[in-house]
Amino acid sequence: MDRIGASAHGRRVASKKLSSSPYKAAKVKRKSAALSFLDRCTTDKNNTRIACAMALIILLIISLSFMVYVDNRSHSHIPRPSANRVAVNIDLISVQELNHTDYINTARTRNNIPSEVLRPLIANTKHDVHVVISTGCSEYQNWQSEVVLYSWARLKHPGQITRIVSGCKNLEQRKAALNTAIISERVHLFFTDDYTPPNKGGGHAFHYFNKPYSMRKFVTEVDIAESVLVLIDPDMIITKVFDYHSAAGEDLQVRRGHPVSQRYGIGAKWVPWKLCTTPSCLKVDDSVAWKHYSVGPPYMMHIEDWRLMVNEWVQYSPAALEHDPPPSILAEMYSFSIACAHHDLPHEIVDTMLSDPDAGGSEPQWKDIEWSFRQQSFLHQSEQDKLDALHVHILHYCHGYWLGDERNTGHMLNYGFNFHKGHLPKDLLHNCDRGLLVEPPTNEYARARDSNKKGNHVWMLYQVITRINNALANYKQLYCGPDWIPTYDIVLRQPEADHTNKMHYYLSDL
């Protein structure tokens, strides 16, 4: 039973991938035993009635469980306010298990159903998709991950979702990562080591290697039933169901050997590095690189293609970092493209993400944004609305968004506004004393203070901040007690706007 409001029945904790030969032998052995049992049922008069009746009952229970799994009513819903809601007891996962188990299902199920059993049941259905978020193990990444999970649940997204958590240093950090309000049998956590390389040149550590290394561990060690894996970043909000795998879905379809990914402007920089010398790599020139390999998250590929290329993704990453060192943060994106070229996996490119309000033609979907905002604040949710769906799949809030005379000084005290993900209080999610973000105005005066003449900063500020607030309010309503009420009092600003470099303040401070 989903803790977030409804049921997502019949799902398992993904089991460790079994080696093919022992597993095949075990399967043949079980099949032989089953035939022998049925033979005895039909020949042994003393056992016929009881044994066969028990077998039929067991088969009926299994069949009904699988039917419930694929039932349309298995989606998650948003919790309604309730004074009786009880916080989830994380001790249902034992301390020993949390310390030593990589893969954890947040609904605490204990059903281990092999993918070969589940795959035929979900093939060619909307459930045949698995969203993966690659994250670190910090409070900063915890609140972002909660926003992603909430957006997934809010859309009633089919399939599964896994948060990969890399680099937890102790049990308390693992507990904090597990502490989410989106409790469902379809929501999973996968813990890995920290794969950040040694920092040779100073500056910020290059944490982005956690993505290729943790994905390799995930797709090779977990028995995944879904055919299509969608990899996204923690600073992304899902705003449309990923449906690149069913005939009734998007025009471009992910299938084996045919990935689909979002367009990024990384281009062909990696081509002259000559890190890859396979025939498929050597045929990639600048034109092909821009057309089929200039991609980034969401990466959407068949599970077998993920398993095919992850070793090379890891293998090419250190050399890519040598060629494109910090302050650039693109090395692991280049190594992804190189690994795909290594295996002749050209991507169909889509434009289904909004990120930079000033991107112009490089983000063509800005021309279709809607201004008829619904009441999206937490207190005005409705089960009858379209649950926050947009015309794009992702809002990627990796930029700064602002109103005012100029970015570094624009904030509320001088009739402006400011947002950057790095300026939120790091303990915003788990600290019940923290309120919510002040939400931006969307009137004509606000648009007049927008440096973008089309008002794209106003639009992005509203979309991102209200969705973050909804996710935070959903969590706090569950964990912070029946007396919790939303207080919108956190204001963000650039550190240049304050002589102490303070990046946020509270209305109560004024």
Side-chain angles (χ1 to χ4, degrees):
M1 182 71 174
D2 287 1
R3 182 66 64 141
I4 53 177
S7 60
H9 305 281
R11 183 60 186 178
R12 85 296 186 215
V13 178
S15 58
K16 294 285 186 179
K17 186 180 180 184
L18 301 174
S19 60
S20 57
S21 52
Y23 189 67
K24 184 176 181 180
K27 185 171 68 172
V28 172
K29 184 178 180 180
R30 288 199 302 269
K31 184 176 180 180
S32 299
L35 290 173
S36 176
F37 170 74
L38 290 174
D39 183 63
R40 288 197 305 271
C41 270
T42 56
T43 58
D44 190 341
K45 295 181 180 180
N46 294 328
N47 293 334
T48 298
R49 294 180 180 178
I50 297 175
C52 291
M54 291 179 63
L56 288 172
I57 291 172
I58 292 171
L59 288 173
L60 180 60
I61 292 172
I62 294 173
S63 299
L64 288 174
S65 298
F66 289 153
M67 289 173 64
V68 171
Y69 170 75
V70 298
D71 192 276
N72 287 339
R73 293 173 297 174
S74 67
H75 299 303
S76 305
H77 296 284
I78 306 307
R80 296 183 179 277
S82 170
N84 297 321
R85 186 161 291 125
V86 179
V88 177
N89 178 8
I90 62 173
D91 291 333
L92 292 176
I93 297 293
S94 69
V95 170
Q96 183 178 9
E97 181 182 15
L98 191 56
N99 260 327
H100 301 290
T101 301
D102 281 339
Y103 203 66
I104 291 178
N105 181 296
T106 57
R108 284 73 169 177
T109 60
R110 292 294 184 272
N111 299 319
N112 293 296
I113 306 174
S115 64
E116 66 178 22
V117 175
L118 284 174
R119 188 167 290 129
L121 299 172
I122 62 176
N124 302 315
T125 74
K126 61 185 178 182
H127 299 283
D128 197 16
V129 60
H130 197 134
V131 178
V132 182
I133 323 159
S134 174
T135 79
C137 187
S138 64
E139 284 293 83
Y140 174 62
Q141 298 273 266
N142 286 339
W143 74 255
Q144 292 179 53
S145 299
E146 188 72 10
V147 173
V148 180
L149 292 173
Y150 179 82
S151 68
W152 178 87
R154 181 85 170 128
L155 289 169
K156 301 182 180 180
H157 203 296
Q160 311 292 307
I161 190 167
T162 293
R163 177 189 173 188
I164 297 178
V165 189
S166 299
C168 292
K169 295 180 173 61
N170 52 52
L171 179 63
E172 291 306 313
Q173 288 189 346
R174 282 193 166 212
K175 286 183 177 181
L178 186 61
N179 197 8
T180 171
I182 311 301
I183 308 299
S184 167
E185 290 177 319
R186 301 188 293 122
V187 177
H188 316 272
L189 271 74
F190 183 76
F191 293 102
T192 77
D193 294 334
D194 185 2
Y195 301 105
T196 302
N199 194 350
K200 297 179 180 179
H204 294 291
F206 197 80
H207 299 299
Y208 305 97
F209 274 10
N210 281 321
K211 193 181 298 181
Y213 284 81
S214 66
M215 276 298 288
R216 180 174 67 174
K217 182 177 176 66
F218 178 63
V219 302
T220 56
E221 294 188 10
V222 174
D223 187 26
I224 301 167
E226 294 72 36
S227 297
V228 175
L229 263 64
V230 181
L231 177 60
I232 63 176
D233 289 338
D235 58 348
M236 291 180 168
I237 301 172
I238 305 172
T239 53
K240 186 180 180 182
V241 170
F242 288 107
D243 196 4
Y244 289 88
H245 60 283
S246 67
E250 304 289 341
D251 293 337
L252 294 176
Q253 293 286 292
V254 175
R255 59 190 189 279
R256 191 167 183 176
H258 296 274
V260 178
S261 293
Q262 168 64 34
R263 182 191 311 276
Y264 280 69
I266 66 172
K269 184 176 182 178
W270 56 273
V271 174
W273 298 346
K274 301 297 183 183
L275 297 180
C276 172
T277 57
T278 63
S280 54
C281 271
L282 293 177
K283 71 181 183 182
V284 176
D285 57 17
D286 285 9
S287 175
V288 173
W290 275 102
K291 186 176 182 180
H292 291 296
Y293 296 99
S294 187
V295 295
Y299 297 120
M300 296 174 278
M301 295 203 297
H302 192 279
I303 179 60
E304 296 305 328
D305 290 337
W306 280 107
R307 289 172 176 154
L308 180 67
M309 59 78 68
V310 285
N311 282 330
E312 282 69 35
W313 192 11
V314 169
Q315 173 189 328
Y316 290 125
S317 289
L321 186 61
E322 292 289 333
H323 283 276
D324 193 57
S328 173
I329 58 173
L330 302 179
E332 117 288 336
M333 297 180 70
Y334 290 126
S335 59
F336 177 90
S337 296
I338 299 169
C340 287
H342 179 109
H343 291 287
D344 197 16
L345 292 172
H347 290 242
E348 294 287 349
I349 293 181
V350 293
D351 293 295
T352 188
M353 180 180 78
L354 291 176
S355 178
D356 182 359
D358 302 309
S362 63
E363 292 184 17
Q365 296 291 355
W366 278 108
K367 64 180 176 23
D368 295 323
I369 62 174
E370 290 284 343
W371 284 94
S372 55
F373 296 125
R374 297 189 302 275
Q375 289 292 331
Q376 288 180 302
S377 65
F378 185 74
L379 298 180
H380 295 88
Q381 294 181 33
S382 169
E383 291 294 337
Q384 283 71 48
D385 66 18
K386 293 184 179 180
L387 303 182
D388 303 342
L390 296 176
H391 63 300
V392 293
H393 287 83
I394 290 291
L395 295 180
H396 189 191
Y397 54 97
C398 57
H399 296 276
Y401 311 109
W402 58 278
L403 307 175
D405 295 328
E406 51 98 19
R407 179 185 174 186
N408 285 344
T409 60
H411 62 93
M412 282 185 63
L413 293 182
N414 57 14
Y415 309 105
F417 214 88
N418 215 294
F419 174 88
H420 187 278
K421 64 182 181 182
H423 299 169
L424 278 70
K426 300 300 186 289
D427 61 348
L428 183 62
L429 178 65
H430 292 143
N431 187 344
C432 288
D433 292 331
R434 301 292 192 199
L436 305 178
L437 299 171
V438 172
E439 297 186 351
T442 58
N443 54 29
E444 291 303 314
Y445 182 76
R447 293 182 67 171
R449 300 285 282 167
D450 192 337
S451 62
N452 184 284
K453 299 305 179 185
K454 296 181 180 179
N456 291 352
H457 282 271
V458 172
W459 189 90
M460 196 69 168
L461 282 165
Y462 180 83
Q463 294 291 340
V464 170
I465 291 176
T466 57
R467 292 167 191 270
I468 290 175
N469 274 347
N470 288 351
L472 296 173
N474 180 67
Y475 175 90
K476 292 174 186 292
Q477 179 184 287
L478 179 62
Y479 284 95
C480 295
D483 296 329
W484 181 85
I485 58 172
T487 303
Y488 302 83
D489 65 344
I490 301 175
V491 179
L492 307 183
R493 61 181 168 188
Q494 289 294 108
E496 294 86 351
D498 181 76
H499 69 279
T500 63
N501 292 328
K502 190 175 182 180
M503 294 180 287
H504 61 264
Y505 61 91
Y506 305 91
L507 292 182
S508 58
D509 294 340
L510 300 179

